[in-house]
Amino acid sequence: MSRLSGPALRLTVLVGESDTWHHRPLYSEVVHRARAAGLAGASVFRGIEGFGASSLVHTARLLSLSEDLPVAVVIVDEEERVRGFLPQLEELVAEGLVLLDRCEVVRYAGRDGGAGGRRADGGTE
């Protein structure tokens, strides 16, 4: 993959922590499919409180027994690549919110300083 910089698209997928796809956490399936699609990267963030279309508040506070906390999967890549990934989300996300935002990549480097964690021998981390 060439170095990612400049204009890009940020894809945010908001789902519940307990949402699944074939007995696997939905957020994990999204991350693995993004990797298989060759996208630049994906991160999962767990929320501490939130509500969605159902208006039911999920929280991690005190005596709450909620295990269905909000989860955000964030993916950033070139617009064409992100839009090409959207049909997979149509299949996966039955309940949730999918957002697209234009953004600008200022720096994208792996541990070795190269793009996307690519090693000098062409492999990936």
Side-chain angles (χ1 to χ4, degrees):
M1 161 179 246
S2 63
R3 187 166 181 91
L4 180 63
S5 64
L9 209 55
R10 177 178 46 219
L11 168 65
T12 305
V13 182
L14 299 166
V15 294
E17 184 178 25
S18 66
D19 292 348
T20 60
W21 175 260
H22 294 226
H23 309 290
R24 177 181 191 169
L26 178 58
Y27 60 84
S28 181
E29 184 67 21
V30 172
V31 168
H32 284 83
R33 286 196 186 197
R35 185 170 190 260
L39 294 173
S43 296
V44 178
F45 301 94
R46 184 177 188 221
I48 58 171
E49 187 168 54
F51 72 93
S54 70
S55 294
L56 180 63
V57 175
H58 301 275
T59 183
R61 287 184 288 134
L62 293 174
L63 301 175
S64 172
L65 299 176
S66 176
E67 293 297 322
D68 192 24
L69 294 171
V71 174
V73 182
V74 179
I75 299 169
V76 177
D77 206 327
E78 296 170 348
E79 181 171 354
E80 181 179 312
R81 297 173 64 80
V82 170
R83 290 194 183 277
F85 185 66
L86 291 177
Q88 292 199 51
L89 294 179
E90 285 292 323
E91 176 187 4
L92 294 174
V93 181
E95 295 179 8
L97 180 63
V98 177
L99 303 168
L100 290 174
D101 298 294
R102 295 192 187 284
C103 61
E104 181 179 354
V105 174
V106 176
R107 177 168 167 76
Y108 174 62
R111 291 182 191 173
D112 64 356
R118 301 277 179 193
R119 296 189 317 236
D121 64 3
T124 58
E125 294 180 347

